[in-house]
Amino acid sequence: MSKPLRVTVWNEFHHEKTNKDIKKLYPKGMHEQIAQYLRGLEGVEARTATLDEPEHGLTDEVLAATDVLTWWGHMAHHEVRDEIVDKVQQRVLEGMGLIVLHSGHYSKIFRKLMGTSCSLKWREIGERERLWVIEPGHPIVEGLEKEYFEIPAVEMYGERFDIPAPDTLVLISWFQGGEVFRSGCCYHRGKGKVFYFRPGHESLPIYYHEDVLRIIGNACRWAAPLCSAPAITWDNVQPLEEVRK
Amino acid sequence: MSKPLRVTVWNEFHHEKTNKDIKKLYPKGMHEQIAQYLRGLEGVEARTATLDEPEHGLTDEVLAATDVLTWWGHMAHHEVRDEIVDKVQQRVLEGMGLIVLHSGHYSKIFRKLMGTSCSLKWREIGERERLWVIEPGHPIVEGLEKEYFEIPAVEMYGERFDIPAPDTLVLISWFQGGEVFRSGCCYHRGKGKVFYFRPGHESLPIYYHEDVLRIIGNACRWAAPLCSAPAITWDNVQPLEEVRK
Amino acid sequence: MSKPLRVTVWNEFHHEKTNKDIKKLYPKGMHEQIAQYLRGLEGVEARTATLDEPEHGLTDEVLAATDVLTWWGHMAHHEVRDEIVDKVQQRVLEGMGLIVLHSGHYSKIFRKLMGTSCSLKWREIGERERLWVIEPGHPIVEGLEKEYFEIPAVEMYGERFDIPAPDTLVLISWFQGGEVFRSGCCYHRGKGKVFYFRPGHESLPIYYHEDVLRIIGNACRWAAPLCSAPAITWDNVQPLEEVRK
Amino acid sequence: MSKPLRVTVWNEFHHEKTNKDIKKLYPKGMHEQIAQYLRGLEGVEARTATLDEPEHGLTDEVLAATDVLTWWGHMAHHEVRDEIVDKVQQRVLEGMGLIVLHSGHYSKIFRKLMGTSCSLKWREIGERERLWVIEPGHPIVEGLEKEYFEIPAVEMYGERFDIPAPDTLVLISWFQGGEVFRSGCCYHRGKGKVFYFRPGHESLPIYYHEDVLRIIGNACRWAAPLCSAPAITWDNVQPLEEVRK
């Protein structure tokens, strides 16, 4: 437990470069805002990676040295190269944690791991969201004071969210305009753990929200790979017991 | 409920054409053996489709007229064209049932819907398997007399089976050589229902086994699409409530 | 499938006798309103039973002849005798379906089957509820036209609802006052199937709502026991395989 | 994280006092053997409590100072007083972890929390058991070298195990005599986490088995309550949003 948790915060990082208001909100990009929060947590190391870097910043070396990867993408999902997506999937199945944020629901990696369309409803009028804790003993809600928290202005995501039913449903959102959403969804996939977390938007200060950051931090800890997971044998095997007919 | 359930039984249908012993066992192919059983069930219609037919027998017309598709493949998974796989996935998400049999665990369509490697252990020495009912109130075990059934000689599949935890686990297998396996696994994916069922092998008379056939029949009924499912709206939507700030 | 589904609609039936307005709304009691709907469904027979009848109307004969029991109680949960609750639990574990309605969340039978407090938040100001379909391929939502339905004035129930996570979550409610709720929850318990369904209130015409009734009817069909479930052996058993050391 | 995890190891502690051979095997009782192991883990404190102590050793003070309770009982389940069982249940719902061992499947507390009979098959001929890891990324299997471990001679427990489907199924057992069993089952109940773990027997040295002990230790860590869980409000609440009609 004394080894640091190594998080790589991945961001598409286009909006922040092409839109003045967004740049003002996240001058170094959303990834730096999230990484800075994580760096303040005991035992956590955070680096960043972005789409326009070589191999999207996700070289074999980086992936091998990543315990948990967080993912934010939106307008350029299609620019993410398939072979990088395959490598990320492989790493998740081997044990790397993956935290998918907001519009990352439509990323290649999330859709690939879910096997469904991951479609949903959306609306961008800056309405209020209230996220309710559904599983109050889950480590991802550690340290929340209340059983809900509010975000004053958000892009709405509404059900039907076309995902497999989560292994554990931690949060459900209420929206002013009349919708609900499964906003905190835990999955085991292979040896890896995946958490989808709804909040976030390029043009709103959501990654400055204390409870949103707290949950991202908790999720990184929850999704950490085992220090030592049992080795698995695949394919053709010899019997462990004598087989007589 | 008066409309017939339209099942399409898909088979790779290579083994039965290239191996004499297998041909003797399943003279018209495993698909015909399964389809013949299904045709004997009240309210069920069954057609077949195979890999070497144009579009693998899965034209848009066939898929549109299929309520439940059963899938057996083994040596030629890679020959299944990706655009057909994409269409099948789309139809499942729209509500078509899918029953994946035995070595179909490694089919493109199953791996795509699961999002994991679907790897497992295997061994082919003709050992005994005993399938235990874990959820005895589930419609898929309707009509089984006992809480387990045995198959005298099988190809073994052993855990770790790299799948998402099923929504409902119905059967667990015991093998003589010392392994266990989640042999009956139910999933909701989109509006569709998916059932993975382990038994089956090209060179063994497993699709003549009364309980195996019974479960395939039950699974087809369980996986039937709704007669009338709620319509879903995706993407950008107007608020259902007045939003005031 | 040709045997009728035998439903017993249980109601506390106190409110309707002691309050004029409620009596006006449900002149024969909520149970008769629900039973009348069920009797209109093909292949369904419905009888009723109420608290003040001998053995609460749930004699051994009635329970033995009940495939699915629906339960509405509120002010007199404590008057339900423990030995009757034990018998109902036993019948559920043997395969009888149980549909728990609205304030039945606090009934002895539901709490006993869940193992938790089944506590929740509530408020009675006649606000609007919108129930969203979360699992659109589930038979309980068969025939709903839209992916949500609204009830104009309800008693609100809000999360945290202290229940085990449902095996399948079918509906989530949105409330005008800012809460959410898991309103349609499926469970397997023993050989029986249990469905909790939130809508209903003694002083509101909720059991006249077309979609509410439809879901109750669908839930009865879903919760039906198997025609022939596998027999289970408990306790001390002989080995099925030779055990050598 | 710097606060120690306070485990109370509860044992019926009758067998060890009444049977010479068992006394020889566990001279201070199974509880001391388990507690001694736990005391060797970093950050873990373990005390013990037994049936014949006043209030079964589970006074309000002890329960209040217990983060995780482990439970072993067998011949004297009925001697556990109902009011103590109620207090333990209440503490679990408030967040205390509970690890139920072997014949504890039939304890009042486990049956109460599960809501089912918790019946199973059993046989005592000293056969071999092999426990397979089904969820290799789960923290409860941290540090296991292989994907299975064997216990050379056990009392067999076989399916059907009449429990609710676990939230996460971590281990499945294979038995020489032909049965299988869900041997490691995780549940959320209220704010508490519950783990059922099959191995253990009064007359066999199972609590000296390295992997069995390791899993008990891991389960205690997994079941630890949150340091600070969100506060929950029950019952009648005011709206959080303006409700206009």
Side-chain angles (χ1 to χ4, degrees):
Chain A
M1 287 295 174
S2 52
K3 284 201 305 178
L5 180 71
R6 302 163 303 170
V7 182
T8 300
V9 179
W10 193 89
N11 186 11
E12 188 178 285
F13 196 31
H14 280 195
H15 289 291
E16 299 95 325
K17 290 190 277 193
T18 58
N19 179 304
K20 256 194 212 170
D21 293 337
I22 294 174
K23 186 170 185 168
K24 207 166 165 187
L25 190 58
Y26 294 108
K28 299 179 179 172
M30 284 177 279
H31 52 295
E32 277 301 333
Q33 167 60 15
I34 293 170
Q36 182 184 322
Y37 170 78
L38 294 174
R39 287 179 195 127
L41 300 180
E42 197 186 322
V44 177
E45 290 178 0
R47 69 165 96 194
T48 64
T50 57
L51 180 64
D52 295 341
E53 297 174 47
E55 301 186 52
H56 312 321
L58 299 173
T59 60
D60 291 356
E61 291 69 33
V62 168
L63 283 175
T66 297
D67 294 319
V68 178
L69 178 67
T70 75
W71 194 276
W72 197 101
H74 180 221
M75 60 196 285
H77 290 316
H78 60 285
E79 293 184 30
V80 179
R81 283 160 45 201
D82 288 339
E83 68 269 27
I84 303 292
V85 174
D86 290 348
K87 281 182 192 181
V88 172
Q89 179 190 30
Q90 186 54 34
R91 281 285 294 134
V92 169
L93 298 181
E94 288 167 10
M96 184 180 75
L98 179 70
I99 314 298
V100 175
L101 297 169
H102 191 62
S103 45
H105 77 92
Y106 246 164
S107 62
K108 287 182 178 178
I109 181 60
F110 189 59
R111 297 173 76 176
K112 187 159 196 142
L113 281 164
M114 295 294 107
T116 55
S117 75
C118 302
S119 294
L120 46 73
K121 291 182 182 57
W122 59 270
R123 178 174 58 235
E124 202 174 346
I125 59 169
E127 69 208 273
R128 181 161 50 252
E129 176 180 14
R130 182 175 297 106
L131 295 100
W132 287 93
V133 173
I134 300 305
E135 208 58 83
H138 198 281
I140 281 181
V141 298
E142 173 79 62
L144 287 185
E145 264 180 59
K146 287 163 64 175
E147 58 191 319
Y148 65 85
F149 60 93
E150 295 175 2
I151 312 179
V154 304
E155 181 192 21
M156 184 282 297
Y157 280 2
E159 296 279 347
R160 160 63 176 180
F161 184 18
D162 185 25
I163 49 170
D167 294 343
T168 311
L169 175 60
V170 180
L171 297 159
I172 296 177
S173 288
W174 176 100
F175 292 96
Q176 224 179 343
E179 286 86 1
V180 297
F181 198 74
R182 288 171 290 172
S183 283
C185 298
C186 298
Y187 297 93
H188 283 266
R189 287 298 181 266
K191 287 185 173 176
K193 290 176 276 276
V194 177
F195 184 61
Y196 176 80
F197 187 42
R198 201 203 85 77
H201 197 54
E202 64 277 8
S203 61
L204 293 164
I206 286 166
Y207 293 130
Y208 291 91
H209 190 293
E210 185 181 358
D211 290 324
V212 170
L213 289 170
R214 182 184 300 274
I215 284 177
I216 293 174
N218 290 342
C220 287
R221 292 192 201 276
W222 168 81
L226 302 191
C227 298
S228 164
I232 295 180
T233 306
W234 304 112
D235 302 325
N236 197 358
V237 294
Q238 293 302 308
L240 300 162
E241 302 282 334
E242 188 189 351
V243 173
R244 288 178 314 159
K245 293 165 196 177
Chain B
M1 287 294 174
S2 53
K3 284 199 306 177
L5 180 71
R6 302 163 302 170
V7 182
T8 299
V9 179
W10 194 88
N11 186 11
E12 186 178 286
F13 196 31
H14 279 195
H15 290 291
E16 300 95 326
K17 290 191 276 194
T18 57
N19 179 304
K20 256 193 214 171
D21 293 336
I22 295 175
K23 185 170 186 169
K24 207 165 163 189
L25 190 58
Y26 294 108
K28 299 179 180 173
M30 283 177 280
H31 52 294
E32 277 301 333
Q33 168 60 13
I34 293 170
Q36 182 184 321
Y37 170 77
L38 294 174
R39 288 178 194 127
L41 300 179
E42 198 187 321
V44 178
E45 289 178 0
R47 69 164 96 194
T48 64
T50 57
L51 180 63
D52 295 341
E53 297 174 47
E55 301 185 49
H56 311 322
L58 299 173
T59 60
D60 291 356
E61 291 69 33
V62 168
L63 283 175
T66 297
D67 294 319
V68 178
L69 179 67
T70 75
W71 194 276
W72 197 101
H74 180 220
M75 59 196 285
H77 291 316
H78 60 284
E79 293 184 30
V80 178
R81 284 161 43 201
D82 289 338
E83 67 269 28
I84 304 293
V85 175
D86 290 348
K87 282 182 190 179
V88 172
Q89 179 190 31
Q90 186 53 34
R91 281 285 294 133
V92 169
L93 298 181
E94 289 166 11
M96 184 181 73
L98 179 70
I99 315 298
V100 176
L101 297 169
H102 191 62
S103 45
H105 77 90
Y106 247 165
S107 62
K108 288 183 178 177
I109 181 60
F110 189 58
R111 297 173 77 176
K112 187 159 197 144
L113 281 164
M114 295 295 106
T116 54
S117 75
C118 301
S119 295
L120 47 72
K121 290 181 182 57
W122 59 270
R123 177 174 60 235
E124 202 174 347
I125 59 168
E127 68 207 274
R128 182 161 50 253
E129 175 181 13
R130 184 175 295 106
L131 296 99
W132 287 92
V133 173
I134 299 305
E135 207 58 84
H138 198 281
I140 280 180
V141 299
E142 173 79 63
L144 288 185
E145 264 179 58
K146 287 163 64 176
E147 59 191 318
Y148 66 84
F149 61 94
E150 294 174 3
I151 311 180
V154 305
E155 181 192 20
M156 185 281 298
Y157 280 2
E159 296 279 348
R160 161 61 177 180
F161 185 18
D162 186 26
I163 49 170
D167 294 344
T168 311
L169 175 60
V170 180
L171 297 160
I172 295 177
S173 288
W174 176 99
F175 293 96
Q176 225 179 341
E179 286 86 1
V180 297
F181 198 73
R182 289 170 290 173
S183 283
C185 298
C186 298
Y187 298 93
H188 283 267
R189 287 299 181 266
K191 287 184 174 178
K193 290 176 275 277
V194 177
F195 184 62
Y196 176 79
F197 187 42
R198 200 203 85 79
H201 197 54
E202 64 279 6
S203 61
L204 294 163
I206 286 166
Y207 293 131
Y208 291 91
H209 190 293
E210 187 182 355
D211 291 324
V212 170
L213 289 170
R214 183 185 301 273
I215 284 178
I216 294 174
N218 290 342
C220 287
R221 293 194 201 275
W222 168 80
L226 301 191
C227 298
S228 165
I232 295 180
T233 306
W234 303 112
D235 301 325
N236 196 0
V237 294
Q238 292 303 308
L240 300 162
E241 302 281 335
E242 188 188 352
V243 173
R244 289 179 313 161
K245 294 166 198 180
Chain C
M1 286 296 175
S2 53
K3 284 201 306 179
L5 181 70
R6 303 163 303 170
V7 182
T8 299
V9 179
W10 194 89
N11 186 12
E12 186 179 284
F13 195 30
H14 280 195
H15 290 292
E16 299 95 325
K17 291 190 277 193
T18 57
N19 179 304
K20 257 193 213 171
D21 293 338
I22 294 174
K23 187 170 185 169
K24 206 165 165 188
L25 190 57
Y26 294 108
K28 299 179 180 172
M30 284 177 280
H31 51 295
E32 277 301 334
Q33 167 60 14
I34 293 170
Q36 183 184 322
Y37 170 77
L38 294 173
R39 289 180 193 124
L41 300 180
E42 198 187 322
V44 178
E45 289 177 2
R47 70 165 96 193
T48 64
T50 57
L51 180 64
D52 296 340
E53 297 174 48
E55 300 187 50
H56 312 323
L58 298 174
T59 61
D60 291 357
E61 291 69 34
V62 168
L63 284 175
T66 297
D67 293 320
V68 178
L69 179 66
T70 75
W71 195 276
W72 197 102
H74 179 221
M75 60 196 285
H77 290 316
H78 60 285
E79 293 184 29
V80 179
R81 283 161 45 201
D82 289 339
E83 66 269 27
I84 304 294
V85 175
D86 290 348
K87 282 182 192 179
V88 172
Q89 180 191 28
Q90 186 53 34
R91 282 284 296 132
V92 169
L93 298 181
E94 288 167 10
M96 184 180 74
L98 179 69
I99 314 298
V100 176
L101 297 169
H102 191 62
S103 44
H105 77 91
Y106 246 165
S107 61
K108 287 182 178 178
I109 182 61
F110 189 58
R111 296 173 77 177
K112 188 159 196 143
L113 281 163
M114 296 294 107
T116 54
S117 74
C118 301
S119 294
L120 47 72
K121 290 182 183 56
W122 58 270
R123 178 173 59 235
E124 203 174 347
I125 58 169
E127 69 208 272
R128 182 161 49 253
E129 175 180 13
R130 183 175 297 106
L131 296 101
W132 287 93
V133 173
I134 300 304
E135 208 57 83
H138 198 281
I140 281 181
V141 299
E142 173 78 63
L144 288 184
E145 263 180 59
K146 288 163 64 174
E147 58 190 319
Y148 66 85
F149 61 93
E150 295 175 3
I151 312 180
V154 303
E155 181 192 21
M156 184 281 297
Y157 279 3
E159 296 280 349
R160 159 63 178 181
F161 185 18
D162 185 25
I163 48 169
D167 294 344
T168 311
L169 176 60
V170 180
L171 296 160
I172 295 177
S173 287
W174 176 100
F175 293 96
Q176 225 180 341
E179 287 85 1
V180 297
F181 198 74
R182 288 170 291 173
S183 283
C185 298
C186 297
Y187 298 92
H188 283 267
R189 287 298 181 266
K191 285 184 175 178
K193 290 175 275 273
V194 178
F195 184 62
Y196 176 79
F197 186 43
R198 202 203 82 77
H201 197 55
E202 64 278 6
S203 61
L204 293 164
I206 286 166
Y207 293 130
Y208 291 91
H209 190 293
E210 186 182 357
D211 290 325
V212 170
L213 289 170
R214 183 186 300 273
I215 284 177
I216 294 173
N218 290 343
C220 287
R221 291 193 201 276
W222 169 80
L226 302 191
C227 299
S228 164
I232 296 180
T233 305
W234 305 112
D235 301 326
N236 197 359
V237 294
Q238 293 301 308
L240 300 162
E241 301 282 334
E242 189 189 351
V243 173
R244 289 178 312 159
K245 294 163 197 181
Chain D
M1 289 293 174
S2 53
K3 283 200 306 178
L5 180 70
R6 301 163 303 169
V7 181
T8 299
V9 179
W10 194 88
N11 185 11
E12 186 178 286
F13 196 30
H14 280 196
H15 290 291
E16 299 95 326
K17 291 189 277 193
T18 58
N19 179 304
K20 257 191 211 173
D21 293 338
I22 294 174
K23 186 170 185 167
K24 208 167 163 186
L25 190 58
Y26 294 108
K28 300 179 180 172
M30 283 178 281
H31 51 294
E32 276 302 332
Q33 169 59 14
I34 292 170
Q36 183 184 321
Y37 170 78
L38 294 174
R39 288 181 193 124
L41 300 181
E42 197 187 323
V44 178
E45 290 177 2
R47 70 165 95 193
T48 65
T50 58
L51 180 64
D52 296 341
E53 296 175 48
E55 299 186 51
H56 311 324
L58 299 173
T59 61
D60 291 356
E61 291 69 34
V62 167
L63 284 175
T66 298
D67 294 319
V68 177
L69 178 67
T70 75
W71 194 276
W72 196 101
H74 179 221
M75 60 195 286
H77 290 316
H78 60 285
E79 293 184 30
V80 179
R81 283 160 45 200
D82 289 338
E83 67 270 28
I84 304 293
V85 175
D86 290 348
K87 282 183 192 179
V88 172
Q89 180 191 29
Q90 186 53 35
R91 282 284 295 133
V92 169
L93 298 181
E94 289 167 9
M96 184 180 74
L98 179 69
I99 314 299
V100 176
L101 297 170
H102 191 62
S103 44
H105 77 91
Y106 247 165
S107 62
K108 287 182 177 177
I109 181 61
F110 189 58
R111 296 172 79 177
K112 188 160 196 143
L113 281 163
M114 295 294 107
T116 54
S117 74
C118 301
S119 294
L120 47 72
K121 289 182 184 56
W122 59 270
R123 178 174 59 235
E124 202 174 345
I125 59 168
E127 69 207 272
R128 182 161 50 253
E129 176 180 12
R130 182 175 295 106
L131 295 100
W132 287 93
V133 174
I134 300 305
E135 208 57 83
H138 197 281
I140 281 180
V141 298
E142 174 78 62
L144 288 185
E145 263 180 58
K146 287 163 65 176
E147 59 191 318
Y148 65 84
F149 62 94
E150 294 175 2
I151 312 181
V154 304
E155 182 192 21
M156 184 282 298
Y157 280 2
E159 296 280 347
R160 160 64 177 179
F161 185 18
D162 185 25
I163 49 169
D167 294 344
T168 311
L169 176 60
V170 180
L171 297 159
I172 295 177
S173 287
W174 176 100
F175 293 96
Q176 226 179 340
E179 287 84 2
V180 297
F181 198 74
R182 288 170 289 173
S183 283
C185 298
C186 297
Y187 297 93
H188 283 266
R189 286 297 180 268
K191 285 183 174 178
K193 290 175 275 274
V194 177
F195 184 61
Y196 176 79
F197 186 42
R198 202 203 84 78
H201 196 54
E202 64 278 5
S203 60
L204 293 164
I206 286 166
Y207 294 130
Y208 291 90
H209 190 294
E210 187 181 356
D211 290 324
V212 170
L213 289 170
R214 182 185 299 274
I215 284 177
I216 293 174
N218 289 343
C220 287
R221 294 192 200 276
W222 169 80
L226 302 191
C227 299
S228 164
I232 296 180
T233 305
W234 305 111
D235 301 325
N236 196 359
V237 294
Q238 293 302 309
L240 299 161
E241 302 281 334
E242 189 187 352
V243 173
R244 289 179 311 161
K245 295 167 196 181

